[in-house]
Amino acid sequence: MPSYTAPARDARFIINEVLEVANYGNLPGFESATPDIIDTVIGEGGRFCQEVLAPLNRVGDEEGCTRHPDGSVTTPPGFKEAYQQFREAGWGTLSQPEAFGGQGMPHVLAFALEEFISSANQSFGMYPGLAAGAVSALLAKGSPEQQALYLPKMIAGEWLGTMNLTEPQCGTDLGLIRTKAEPQADGSYAITGTKIFISAGEHDLTENIIHLVLAKLPGAPDSSKGISLFVVPKVLVNADGSLGERNAVVCGSIEEKMGIHGNSTCLLNYDGAKGWLVGEENKGLAAMFIMMNAARLGVGVQGLSQAEAAYQNAVAYAKDRRQGRALTGPADPEAKADPIIVHPDVRRMLMDAKAFTEGMRALCLWGALQVDLSHKAANEEERALADRLIGLLTPVIKGYGTDKGFEVAVNMQQVFGGHGYIREWGMEQFVRDARIAQIYEGTNGVQAMDLAGRKLAQGGGAAIQAFFKLVADECAAAKDDEDTANLAERLEKALGEQQAVTMWFMQNAMANPNHLGAGAHHYMTMMGIVTLGLMWLKMARVAAAKVAEGGGEAAFYQAKLTTARYFAERCLPDVGALRRKIEAGADAVMGLDVEAFATAA
């Protein structure tokens, strides 16, 4: 059976020592995030995930969710009781606004807990995770009456929420949706249509589910410009907040999926269900993107979380499993064979995983800090910079984070050899669960095109130039320290490669947009590597200073420096190869006639 231990020490290192969250104590919400509170949240939250959620991960995978003839759904054994504990402890309220019953703490602290939850049990974490996205959309676009009616119960965890975008005939191209919203005399709308792939669309964890649904009004433009957003509760809510009649939305089926079996991914049928407009008519896509961007960051965390869980189990196995001898001579002469962790190829896979998980954790927490600063920084200039940076990096966190997270999960399965393919060891579940993160909330190809096709040019390139400056400044500050000079110089070279490719896009994509399309995924990967390089340089600078000071945790900080060196020497060089792929252009990619893809007779 696989196990999981929350990486609490590493999370505290990033939050307290690298990001120095205590320095933001003058900002709203940060005054509560003292080192003691941070330690308590990380410690107790990690313990809850280890002891309550992790044991249910395999249960959820094997038992799945059950749909009953009336359309109701039962979650796997133990999930309902675990959710009750989750809600009563207030874990879902950490970063929610105090005005509606939240604790008002920084997102950076909530993101640390989100990783622990997802590593312990990704399927479980999706239930409150989707609700948090729905809350963010209602906070931004809901009317005061809607906020007062729904948010207190949603933030308290008494009700959960979903987002309903996809339909059988459309996914990314939402202009093709057919769900209709007919105005009613009482100011509500009758919602009719079918939505698919709705995570947590029906379940027994809460007495109500608040659906946010994209639909089209009569006469609306037949494109993405004609989409409106509606709040459609599973059970209608009376003016005093009590529950009324069951609404006309029913789970028609639960999708049969490759992984995340513990989450109820539903087909929902709306048959004249009563809903209310959120925000302005025909502006629903912009409102939904608030929720989607929050979800995309959460999915990036899922990529990290499955990699982390798989890595922990692979390390334990590699230390225990004995096969062959070390190439340099027996590491344990008294035994018939050495542990496989002595073999360089096993070390290669484990070091790749360690370099990714620790670097990605830093990126996710740094990204969460940018979310906080985009709302709470002391002046408009700082808020704008943080907003530009997190907007630019959201597709990287989601796309690169989940691509690499899946790759790590597969490699950690490989460490087990044949046992990794056998169900009892649990590694194949990590692989299956990790795979969905590359697909939902916008496939990673969509993320790459969002980055290369939209984000690079946005605001006249202000965001990417701010990113380039951020990396260049960090490199310049680290080049004089012998402990960080190697990484700084290699990162600076990788940055130059990315800057050159960015210019190549500007010079070639206008003439042939396929050049951009063919290179977009490579560019996203390149930027992911450079961004993790930035995180490793930040961590290495702190670790070098701590090693120089001496103390009881020298081994922890020295391991950071060694892993930073590994990233510099074994990961950053990939940026040069990616540049050469991109600059090869689209001719070979698009060269075949469509008929040439058919199977030969």
Side-chain angles (χ1 to χ4, degrees), residues 227-553:
I227 297 173
S228 298
L229 180 65
F230 300 86
V231 58
V232 187
K234 168 185 167 180
V235 181
L236 297 174
V237 183
N238 298 320
D240 63 359
S242 62
L243 295 181
E245 299 177 355
R246 182 74 160 79
N247 209 352
V249 50
V250 176
C251 171
S253 64
I254 297 176
E255 306 288 357
E256 295 290 336
K257 310 188 295 291
M258 175 180 176
I260 54 169
H261 296 153
N263 193 269
S264 55
T265 307
C266 299
L267 178 151
L268 294 182
N269 291 315
Y270 291 84
D271 186 13
K274 190 178 285 287
W276 290 265
L277 181 68
V278 177
E280 300 178 52
E281 292 185 4
N282 302 329
K283 298 290 181 65
L285 199 55
M288 185 62 84
F289 263 108
I290 295 168
M291 187 173 179
M292 288 179 67
N293 284 332
R296 285 170 175 174
L297 292 173
V299 172
V301 173
Q302 290 178 355
L304 161 64
S305 70
Q306 295 309 294
E308 173 65 28
Y311 166 68
Q312 289 187 17
N313 285 274
V315 168
Y317 184 83
K319 290 179 177 179
D320 183 67
R321 177 71 169 177
R322 291 180 180 269
Q323 293 281 297
R325 289 296 192 185
L327 298 178
T328 53
D332 185 358
E334 302 301 317
K336 291 183 177 181
D338 291 328
I340 63 172
I341 199 167
V342 305
H343 301 307
D345 191 58
V346 173
R347 286 288 187 100
R348 171 188 63 82
M349 292 187 284
L350 294 178
M351 285 300 294
D352 269 355
K354 183 176 177 64
F356 169 72
T357 54
E358 294 180 16
M360 188 67 188
R361 180 172 300 113
L363 176 55
C364 288
L365 294 174
W366 179 85
L369 179 60
Q370 303 314 304
V371 172
D372 287 317
L373 295 178
S374 70
H375 297 288
K376 299 177 179 179
N379 59 65
E380 177 56 35
E381 183 179 355
E382 292 177 4
R383 292 192 293 272
L385 174 61
D387 189 61
R388 283 196 293 268
L389 288 172
I390 193 57
L392 175 73
L393 286 167
T394 292
V396 177
I397 290 171
K398 194 281 184 185
Y400 174 75
T402 59
D403 278 347
K404 189 68 179 178
F406 177 72
E407 177 188 315
V408 167
V410 170
N411 282 338
M412 297 304 93
Q413 183 187 36
Q414 187 76 14
V415 169
F416 281 71
H419 291 290
Y421 202 66
I422 303 302
R423 186 167 181 81
E424 73 172 279
W425 291 90
M427 299 303 289
E428 53 87 37
Q429 184 187 347
F430 296 135
V431 171
R432 288 185 290 105
D433 286 353
R435 185 65 182 90
I436 185 58
Q438 296 171 283
I439 298 173
Y440 60 11
E441 305 306 340
T443 64
N444 286 356
V446 170
Q447 302 304 315
M449 285 302 295
D450 179 40
L451 173 65
R454 291 180 62 247
K455 298 294 176 63
L456 292 185
Q458 222 167 41
I464 192 64
Q465 292 304 321
F467 174 78
F468 289 157
K469 183 178 187 304
L470 187 69
V471 179
D473 288 350
E474 196 78 30
C475 290
K479 283 198 292 186
D480 292 335
D481 186 333
E482 65 178 358
D483 289 315
T484 56
N486 178 47
L487 173 55
E489 290 167 5
R490 289 173 181 268
L491 178 57
E492 190 174 56
K493 180 178 179 181
L495 176 65
E497 304 272 21
Q498 186 187 353
Q499 289 172 315
V501 166
T502 305
M503 183 61 68
W504 187 88
F505 274 152
M506 293 175 62
Q507 294 168 343
N508 292 275
M510 290 292 289
N512 184 357
N514 282 336
H515 287 321
L516 185 140
H521 194 272
H522 294 319
Y523 188 88
M524 179 181 72
T525 304
M526 169 188 283
M527 190 163 181
I529 296 169
V530 171
T531 307
L532 254 63
L534 172 64
M535 295 300 118
W536 270 113
L537 188 53
K538 286 177 176 291
M539 290 189 288
R541 293 181 67 192
V542 174
K546 293 291 186 179
V547 169
E549 290 174 8
E553 288 193 290

